Amino acid sequence: LIELVFAKLANTNTQDINDKKRLDFITLLPVPAILTDAKGIIIHHNQQIEKLFNTKNTNLIGKSYFEEFAKTAKNPEDSPVLRTLKTSKSLQTEREVSNRTYLVSTLPILVDGKLDKVLAVYIETTEYTNNNNRLKEAMLQVEESSKLHNIFTAALSKELRTPLSSVLGFSELLLNESTSKEEQLQFAKEINLEGNKLLTRINNIIAFSRFSR
């Protein structure tokens, strides 16, 4: 809808913009909208602007956009309207108003190649921004979880391979015909010891897996 509005206004001339019907069109927009001249003086706005900035009982027409809306902002010079007034270029930027997030879109209206007016439209994006932030947090958690998983897997591999290698090594020695009975007994004890270590670690992994669910 906003793109259609901008396209419509961008293709009209000064006479059309000043026409009451065109101003009424801005008035009927379902989102906050405000129109200034080339010097940043407010010449028209709709009721949604009054609600957004709590200026219902204030006559904004003829007043400076900077004084009324941009001066109290954290970074006044970053105001999209003021930037469009300086550059004569369309802009889109996010702005916080009353703890809500809005995408502010500006349209420079040119006459004979010179800036004549600026239209600004405010579209609330609070939920989108919140959802986007939650998505970023979730992605960070997934990334952190992946790192922890890799660390756990590496440690697990070492914890399991060490006793398993011992079991396999002593088993091969037992199969050696030159191994004495005393050595066989010692190797059997080592296999039993390392086997119990391996069983304990497997049980710990199973217990950890159940706990982390």
Side-chain angles (χ1 to χ4, degrees), residues 102-113:
Y102 289 83
L103 178 66
V104 185
S105 300
T106 59
L107 170 73
I109 300 169
L110 306 179
V111 175
D112 297 328

Side-chain angles (χ1 to χ4, degrees), residues 145-200:
S145 177
S146 178
K147 291 180 180 178
L148 292 175
H149 177 268
N150 291 338
I151 294 173
F152 175 76
T153 302
L156 175 63
S157 177
K158 181 180 180 180
E159 288 294 312
L160 293 182
R161 279 190 295 179
T162 299
L164 184 59
S165 296
S166 297
V167 170
L168 293 175
F170 286 121
S171 297
E172 290 178 1
L173 291 174
L174 277 176
L175 294 174
N176 193 325
E177 295 180 356
S178 62
T179 304
S180 65
K181 289 185 177 180
E182 291 182 356
E183 288 176 326
Q184 289 178 353
L185 180 61
Q186 182 61 36
F187 294 156
K189 289 180 179 180
E190 293 292 343
I191 290 174
N192 181 263
L193 177 63
E194 296 299 328
N196 283 326
K197 286 182 181 178
L198 183 60
L199 179 61
T200 299

